[in-house]
Amino acid sequence: KLAEVGIDVTAGHSERSFCLPGQFGGKVDWHNDVAVLDFKGIDDSKLGGRLGYDEHVRQLAAYGKGLGLTRPRLLNVFIGRTEGGVQLRQWTQEEADQALAEFYALLRFYRLTKGFPCNQLSEAA
């Protein structure tokens, strides 16, 4: 399925961690210079339906930012737990931009409620 949309998983990096000091960090399932993938196991009965939720694209957008990528393709790869069927969700650039803004708003809220400094966040979004 990934090859059908021009992604060669052998030409990228899997399971990479990153940290933006003073901001956030994470562990990415797979990425290269132009795409970020996150794999999700789901019940097979959900394949073929609407997949991909706000938190999924926020996670991917934050990963792209954390990896220092400029406007990467963001894709969720949903894999059926029993039969192994696959469904892709590629997010649009508009969705990605909105998700990154939402992520930073939520991060700022979290840091304010926990008493963590936010001065580095205003420049980053």
Side-chain angles (χ1 to χ4, degrees):
K1 289 281 185 181
L2 289 167
E4 290 173 12
V5 295
I7 294 182
D8 176 4
V9 292
T10 65
H13 311 281
S14 61
E15 297 291 323
R16 289 280 174 98
S17 298
F18 69 88
C19 177
L20 287 179
Q23 295 183 50
F24 64 95
K27 187 168 189 175
V28 179
D29 288 347
W30 184 93
H31 79 281
N32 64 14
D33 292 341
V34 296
V36 179
L37 306 180
D38 189 63
F39 296 89
K40 305 277 187 205
I42 63 168
D43 294 333
D44 293 83
S45 63
K46 294 183 179 178
L47 290 171
R50 179 192 181 272
L51 294 176
Y53 299 96
D54 294 342
E55 61 270 19
H56 296 152
V57 66
R58 284 186 201 124
Q59 176 187 23
L60 285 165
Y63 285 172
K65 178 73 172 179
L67 293 166
L69 303 177
T70 303
R71 301 176 71 85
R73 294 173 64 189
L74 304 178
L75 294 96
N76 285 110
V77 182
F78 297 95
I79 303 170
R81 291 188 185 105
T82 306
E83 302 293 323
V86 175
Q87 184 174 335
L88 302 180
R89 169 70 190 262
Q90 181 166 294
W91 300 92
T92 67
Q93 194 56 58
E94 287 177 348
E95 291 169 321
D97 292 344
Q98 177 68 24
L100 188 60
E102 291 170 2
F103 172 80
Y104 270 104
L106 291 167
L107 181 60
R108 184 174 187 78
F109 173 79
Y110 173 80
R111 293 179 69 93
L112 285 168
T113 61
K114 300 301 180 189
F116 298 136
C118 295
N119 57 328
Q120 292 175 309
L121 298 179
S122 61
E123 304 163 8

